[in-house]
Amino acid sequence: MKTSFTVNGTPCSLDLDPRVTLLDALRDHLDLTGSKKGCDHGQCGACTVLVDGRRINACLSLAVMHDGDQITTVEGLSENGRSPLQSAFVRHDGMQCGYCTPGQLCSATAVMSEIADGWPSHVSDTLAGPYAMTREELAERMSGNICRCSCYPGINAAILEIAEEDVGYAEAAE
């Protein structure tokens, strides 16, 4: 099937077997290897990308389902060098082996947007925002992204730092 979408600001047209996942299309057909295939079951979050600004597990989504969509991978989070979030991950040692880092970065980017847009989570006190980036909110919202090296203290510190600097709604870390 022919499908077209925009990836990191670049229009792409592909002729794919309709069974090809978005993750495999990105990695194998567009050579965007930042997103990783971890579990291939949507349980680890290593394949997280943004589709029209919302995070999804690219291993669970067929590429042809995204005809006309705007897709952002870790390679597209910054136009020049590292994004502020990527720099914070480095400052706070939010990575060790780096395998989960692309998915963590995409998911964290979406988490900050979700909170800014007033989306509740399972741990939110109310369905009517606004919401603060508390440690509880962060843990709940990032729970779909697993780090096998257990770099969670650095990952959380990086996200909390950027949320506080860029959005101004984060509570001070305890």
Side-chain angles (χ1 to χ4, degrees):
M1 288 180 73
K2 293 188 185 304
T3 190
S4 297
F5 37 71
T6 302
V7 180
N8 301 330
T10 303
C12 302
S13 293
L14 298 171
D15 191 3
L16 298 170
D17 181 315
R19 298 169 293 180
V20 171
T21 65
L22 179 58
L23 178 61
D24 289 338
L26 293 169
R27 291 182 57 81
D28 300 338
H29 297 271
L30 297 175
D31 295 322
L32 295 169
T33 57
S35 303
K36 303 297 187 234
K37 186 179 282 198
C39 65
D40 218 16
H41 295 288
Q43 298 173 344
C44 73
C47 66
T48 304
V49 298
L50 306 177
V51 176
D52 294 332
R54 297 184 65 179
R55 57 189 163 149
I56 68 162
N57 291 329
C59 74
L60 294 181
S61 188
L62 298 175
V64 296
M65 295 169 53
H66 297 287
D67 196 63
D69 288 349
Q70 300 282 331
I71 299 164
T72 304
T73 67
V74 69
E75 293 93 343
L77 291 179
S78 177
E79 292 179 17
N80 298 315
R82 289 191 293 229
S83 71
L85 184 60
Q86 289 168 317
S87 294
F89 266 59
V90 172
R91 270 193 310 281
H92 292 281
D93 287 329
M95 66 196 92
Q96 186 169 336
C97 77
Y99 198 82
C100 72
T101 306
Q104 298 276 1
L105 288 164
C106 285
S107 195
T109 300
V111 163
M112 289 186 276
S113 293
E114 291 165 9
I115 289 180
D117 292 343
W119 291 15
S121 77
H122 181 69
V123 299
S124 299
D125 291 334
T126 177
L127 294 179
Y131 304 104
M133 178 73 87
T134 63
R135 290 188 181 278
E136 293 78 22
E137 282 286 349
L138 180 58
E140 171 62 24
R141 292 173 188 264
M142 291 294 292
S143 65
N145 292 81
I146 296 171
C147 175
R148 294 178 184 152
C149 302
S150 294
C151 292
Y152 299 112
I155 292 167
N156 292 345
I159 297 168
L160 289 169
E161 174 191 312
I162 297 305
E164 189 171 278
E165 286 178 5
D166 287 354
V167 185
Y169 56 78
E171 290 186 353
E174 298 170 0

